[in-house]
Amino acid sequence: MKKVLALLMVSGTVALTGCGGGSDGNSGANSASGDVAVPVPPVVVAPPPPPALAAYVGTWQPACDDQYRQRLVVALKGDGSGALEMSTYGETFATSDCSGPVQFTETTSEKITATPDGAGNIQLKLTADSPASDIRIDKVVSSLPAHTVQITGPAVTTVMLNGKPHWHINDGNGNTTDIPDTGVQTAVSGKGGFYLRGNELFTVMEKDGAYVLDMRYVKQ
């Protein structure tokens, strides 16, 4: 803006000089009585408010559940809609406290989209041994398109059983598990919501007309 205004002022000065030239002796009078150019102040445009679901962006992790823990990675969708894109990583460790290296990881080929669906007040038990609390959640409609599931890691090999592919998992303690590769899974969708308390994220889902606790995460 400053460069544009400076250019306009220079152009105006050149124009006045051209018109006021000559020998009639009036150029001084014209300059003295001419209008003074006043710079136009820049227009300040307030930035748009952040999307309603922006507070949930980040990497989240729940408590360890007997060798298993899920990571949730949340980002704003790049189309400007305010929706979220979520990726989940189910990680299984060799130890019951989820320490040490990951033995295998379960991922999906597609991301979950969470579309804003307003907000609302609900009653929810945030922990199993606590009374219900009155909280306000951001409601969403979540959808996962048709997708495949992959299991990868140092404890995993692929085998054929009864003519069908399976992931053969060795837990390192002499125990093995064979999980069938079921191929393309059908798309799924449902209603749910998010609630933030400090660095804790609570996800809820709609069940039988009410919202129930789904998961509790801590921000990483």
Side-chain angles (χ1 to χ4, degrees), residues 124-145:
L124 186 70
K125 293 186 66 171
L126 298 177
T127 61
D129 56 353
S130 67
S133 301
D134 291 316
I135 62 173
R136 185 168 182 81
I137 63 169
D138 286 307
K139 297 180 179 180
V140 297
V141 177
S142 298
S143 60
L144 176 64

Side-chain angles (χ1 to χ4, degrees), residues 154-174:
V156 182
T157 57
T158 302
V159 298
M160 297 295 292
L161 297 175
N162 300 321
K164 296 181 180 180
H166 286 65
W167 288 290
H168 183 73
I169 301 172
N170 189 330
D171 67 0
N173 298 315

Side-chain angles (χ1 to χ4, degrees), residues 44-145:
V44 178
V45 179
L53 302 181
Y56 306 108
V57 170
T59 299
W60 305 85
Q61 189 169 275
C64 177
D65 183 14
D66 189 22
Q67 297 184 255
Y68 178 82
R69 186 161 58 197
Q70 182 194 76
R71 280 190 299 122
L72 177 67
V73 180
V74 182
L76 280 171
K77 201 169 183 179
D79 59 3
S81 65
L84 297 176
E85 281 186 334
M86 302 184 293
S87 301
T88 59
Y89 302 87
E91 298 174 326
T92 298
F93 298 77
T95 56
S96 59
D97 61 353
C98 296
S99 62
V102 176
Q103 294 296 100
F104 62 92
T105 302
E106 181 178 342
T107 60
T108 56
S109 60
E110 302 292 333
K111 295 180 179 181
I112 303 167
T113 297
T115 305
D117 192 33
N121 296 321
I122 65 169
Q123 280 202 334
L124 186 70
K125 293 186 66 171
L126 298 177
T127 61
D129 56 353
S130 67
S133 301
D134 291 316
I135 62 173
R136 185 168 182 81
I137 63 169
D138 286 307
K139 297 180 179 180
V140 297
V141 177
S142 298
S143 60
L144 176 64

